[in-house]
Amino acid sequence: MENGIKKTPSSDKINSGMKKTPSSLFSITELDDFYFQHLSRSPRLNIERKISLDGCSISGNLRHIDSHECISPMGGFGHRAGFDTPNSTSDNVYEPHMMVVAAWDALRKSIVYFRGQPVGTVAACDVTSEEALNYDQVFVRDFVPSALAFLMNGEYDIVRNFLLKTLQLQSWEKKIDRFKLGEGVMPASFKVLHDSHKKIDTIMADFGESAIGRVAPVDSGFWWIILLRAYTRSTGDSTLSETPDCQKGIQLILSLCLAEGFDTFPTLLCTDGCCMIDRRMGIYGYPIEIQALFFMALRCALQLLKPEGESKELLERIMTRLHALSYHMRSYFWLDFQQLNGIYRYKTEEYSHTAVNKFNVIPDSIPDWLFDFMPNRGGYFIGNVSPARMDFRWFALGNCIAILASLATPEQSIAIMDLIEERWEELVGEMPLKACFPAIDGHEWTSVTGCDPKNTRWSYHNGGSWPVLLWLLTAASIKTGRPHIAKKAIDLAERRLLKDGWPEYYDGKLGRYIGKQSRKYQTWSIAGYLVAKMMLEDPSNLGMISLEEDREKPVVKRSSSWS
Ligand code: GLC
């Protein structure tokens, strides 16, 4: 192991002095104790939860979070009553559900500690799997449902520590071969190495330079901002987000995306595999998952950034971009029966501003399956839009995030849920929820995936069913006033998840088979289930991950308004 560098809490200083291991992973053996101790405090605040859902207001109980509840000998766990966990003994108002107890137990077993402090959860704790690959690491995107479960349970420290640790990692110098990555890039994952001999913990991080395909995770930075807002909203404590380091972290992430260049669209141009779908799946260009997360992160940043110094100009740029992005997405990515009929009748080769078919999409490129799949009632944001290319596939994550971020108008949100109900068998089947529909096969699979044996038809990213998506479906269902959809999906998941050992994904048209190469004890399957349950029990939890529609022109909000 390389020797590490001591750093100071100042944001400009944490940018310097990075070391790189020969394996091209980045490593430091000492992380700044001072930085950690000073920023890693438990919030000591009372919280009032009050959110409004589609016009109706749900007021949660006034909950007093006693700071003593948040302190434990392990350096970080407090337990709030109201939901049963194996460690909460009093005030249990609900009959403990065996599966929930088992899920909490499994989630706690996945916790990763750095110097005695919890900093995240590993992707999977599958002891039967021959190769750990990178499933023994803390993935930024995978930690989000874990973090939400902990926040909903009043366990703030692990989330705070995670946010700070990943922020420190952002400041490392990131290189692939001789090429330096942008300053704002957040890691896809990190790993804590314990040297029991020297009694020292080391962190290694992967920004894409070790990942299969060498792709940088565009989603990580967005999830980080979204989680920072969820933390702030949940704790009522804005001292973390207001620190210069966090402010700088947000600025760096967004500067990467808001830089001016050759773009003619407000959407973000990406390479394949830069998000949850982290293998080649034909999502290069302007994938819906990234556009929805981008939109949500921009909106969260509006709440988090203090309107002073460098942020002033950034806030202006954010607002301008949000405006253009929502217009573009709502107009060109949206597809329902009427839109499809319009595209079917498109003229091509139109020149000038008066063109209707702006991207010159050839109607013959509309796939056959779509004509049957499109219900009379319902619609969705398609996978991708770029010159002469519309990827008509359905992607669950992007559509659910579009609802939660209010990228979708209220009508569009309702239409997305209509589509899910109308096409339940195709999109949910026996296990919620298909990451992408339909699967690609044959020649298309060959050319689009590059013959990926993991992404064969109806498997993994290519039409596989991912239990983690249950929390997103639940959140979207609650937000659109249709909790029965979530209930139905949770019931399905409860039939199998625990019995099957919390698989990462299921295969088959209906999601009946445990995935070919699926890990067991996949943490985000476990956490996703818990979040779905807790959100359904207490819909006020939705507030930490949902943003109301901005009916007015966006106004810069002071970061202190969280109710
Ligand atoms: C797979 C998934 C990715 C996830 C990772 C860890 O690579 O495609 O989205 O983050 O596993 O669970």
Side-chain angles (χ1 to χ4, degrees), residues 123 135 139 141-142 275-276 278 460-461 466 504 522 524:
Y135 283 87
F139 277 74
R141 73 176 73 86
D142 292 42
C275 47
M276 176 190 174
D278 54 359
Y460 202 50
H461 301 136
W466 290 69
E504 179 188 13
Q522 180 79 17
W524 68 0

Side-chain angles (χ1 to χ4, degrees), residues 356-516:
V356 177
N357 180 6
K358 293 197 172 79
F359 308 109
N360 199 35
V361 173
I362 322 282
D364 273 354
S365 70
I366 303 174
D368 285 345
W369 63 265
L370 185 59
F371 294 105
D372 295 331
F373 178 74
M374 181 59 76
N376 289 334
R377 209 175 60 118
Y380 64 105
F381 289 104
I382 62 172
N384 221 306
V385 177
S386 61
R389 175 176 173 238
M390 280 183 152
D391 178 350
F392 292 100
R393 283 175 295 173
W394 150 268
F395 291 89
L397 198 154
N399 275 281
C400 289
I401 290 287
I403 293 177
L404 295 178
S406 292
L407 168 60
T409 63
E411 296 75 28
Q412 288 174 335
S413 297
I414 286 169
I416 293 170
M417 298 315 291
D418 283 342
L419 179 100
I420 293 175
E421 283 200 301
E422 295 275 327
R423 294 289 172 259
W424 187 260
E425 186 160 296
E426 289 89 339
L427 303 180
V428 181
E430 293 187 21
M431 178 54 69
L433 179 70
K434 290 234 175 292
C436 158
F437 178 90
I440 43 177
D441 195 12
H443 175 67
E444 201 181 6
W445 168 79
T446 312
S447 61
V448 170
T449 72
C451 302
D452 188 346
K454 208 167 172 183
N455 272 332
T456 50
R457 71 191 187 304
W458 306 116
S459 182
Y460 202 50
H461 301 136
N462 186 11
S465 308
W466 290 69
V468 61
L469 299 171
L470 184 61
W471 81 264
L472 282 156
L473 177 65
T474 302
S477 309
I478 298 173
K479 184 162 183 187
T480 49
R482 299 195 194 176
H484 63 273
I485 297 182
K487 175 85 183 49
K488 209 167 129 190
I490 291 173
D491 284 350
L492 278 175
E494 283 181 337
R495 283 189 210 160
R496 305 249 343 230
L497 274 190
L498 176 62
K499 193 169 66 137
D500 293 345
W502 309 102
E504 179 188 13
Y505 65 95
Y506 286 78
D507 284 357
K509 270 194 176 175
L510 295 173
R512 283 175 68 208
Y513 299 90
I514 298 174
K516 225 181 340 185

